[in-house]
Amino acid sequence: MITLLTYAPSFGQPAASPFCVKAMMLLNLAGAVWAPEYINDPRKMPYAKLPAIRVNGEIIADSDNIRAWLEGQGADFDKGLDARQKAYSRALIRMAEEHLYFHVVHDRWVNEDVWTVTRDTYFKMIPRPIRKFVTGKIRKPVIASIHQMGIGRFSPKERLARAEPDIQAIKDLLTGPFLFGDKPTAADVSVASQLAGMMATPVATLLGDRLRGDAKLVAYVERMNEATL
Ligand SMILES: N[C@@H](CCC(=O)N[C@@H](CS)C(=O)NCC(=O)O)C(=O)O
């Protein structure tokens, strides 16, 4: 039995983090038997982040490492893909996780209107009288990291313009049900979990509205959810 150490469900998603949703999709695609254990504070994790899995007392942290572990057990998430498709897959995964992800973080943590909802969802276990103070300390380095990586310096319109070519690239590749044909692969897992995270933003934002209004992408995420969750 595998235990997935994950954030709790929120905003209609099975976990607050797209990376935890990704791990769930990978586990299901691999046919693994697993159960979630919900964790609020990731500081004791090997990288102080979630997701991680626990197998026979061993912790495997980071969604890419979870993928590698599952592949070591025999899973093949890219069955039938040739070397060129696997190379595209790698690039798509990095685009989703190292660029689009930060737009999800910006929308949830930096945007003032969304932040109050994020705060009262993610940190509802912190008593209300001290919640604003405590979460302000948690939020500060997140805002700093988004500023550091760059998109924190953009206006909402500039942020949307930066994300748009990525979104269009995903749409252009979606000539079938999934990115590489009739079956979900590792790239779909990473891309769809980040798109779902963007769509789940609980308050209207330019990016959230852009994605929620895109019938092709909404249908794609629904297809992925049906196939993998
Ligand atoms: N590269 C990691 C990224 C995981 C990640 O960024 N997790 C975030 C939530 S979306 C986290 O736990 N952050 C806690 C923190 O930075 O304090 C993976 O693929 O698992």
Side-chain angles (χ1 to χ4, degrees):
M1 162 70 107
I2 299 169
T3 303
L4 175 66
L5 308 175
T6 173
Y7 296 108
S10 52
F11 305 152
Q13 293 294 295
S17 158
F19 291 98
C20 295
V21 176
K22 170 189 169 184
M24 291 174 183
M25 289 176 162
L26 289 173
L27 286 162
N28 288 337
L29 278 177
V33 178
W34 65 277
E37 182 177 314
Y38 296 117
I39 295 205
N40 294 323
D41 183 351
R43 280 177 296 182
K44 288 199 178 127
M45 292 294 117
Y47 305 121
K49 283 175 183 268
L50 289 172
I53 55 172
R54 188 169 54 232
V55 194
N56 299 326
E58 188 195 350
I59 300 276
I60 296 127
D62 187 286
S63 65
D64 259 11
N65 291 342
I66 293 170
R67 174 183 171 181
W69 185 84
L70 288 167
E71 287 171 338
Q73 303 295 306
D76 184 357
F77 299 108
D78 287 346
K79 206 171 186 172
L81 266 55
D82 61 26
R84 192 175 173 81
Q85 288 172 315
K86 285 182 184 174
Y88 276 122
S89 171
R90 200 69 213 150
L92 280 164
I93 290 169
R94 287 293 143 247
M95 182 177 85
E97 298 184 0
E98 308 295 345
H99 180 230
L100 294 178
Y101 166 65
F102 291 102
H103 290 271
V104 179
V105 176
H106 191 290
D107 265 8
R108 292 185 188 184
W109 287 76
V110 184
N111 181 310
E112 291 297 336
D113 296 336
V114 189
W115 166 244
T116 52
V117 183
T118 302
R119 182 189 68 204
D120 292 338
T121 305
Y122 289 3
F123 302 106
K124 56 176 178 276
M125 73 298 291
I126 300 178
R128 207 168 261 286
I130 58 164
R131 191 182 298 159
K132 199 171 168 189
F133 174 76
V134 173
T135 58
K137 286 190 177 305
I138 300 169
R139 186 188 185 206
K140 209 171 163 187
V142 178
I143 293 177
S145 70
I146 295 297
H147 184 78
Q148 186 62 30
M149 72 75 65
I151 63 163
R153 300 157 202 237
F154 290 169
S155 69
K157 275 190 180 162
E158 287 171 326
R159 270 198 308 282
L160 183 63
R162 184 54 59 96
E164 183 60 33
D166 294 21
I167 295 167
Q168 198 52 52
I170 293 163
K171 288 185 71 173
D172 288 344
L173 282 171
L174 270 176
T175 51
F178 301 104
L179 289 164
F180 294 106
D182 292 340
K183 295 219 165 67
T185 62
D188 292 292
V189 167
S190 292
V191 168
S193 55
Q194 297 297 339
L195 293 180
M198 289 174 169
M199 289 173 189
T201 307
V203 174
T205 63
L206 286 183
L207 191 60
D209 292 349
R210 161 73 183 86
L211 286 162
R212 284 187 287 258
D214 195 311
K216 185 172 183 175
L217 291 178
V218 169
Y220 168 59
V221 168
E222 279 170 5
R223 226 168 14 253
M224 267 304 284
N225 288 345
E226 266 170 39
T228 63
L229 288 177

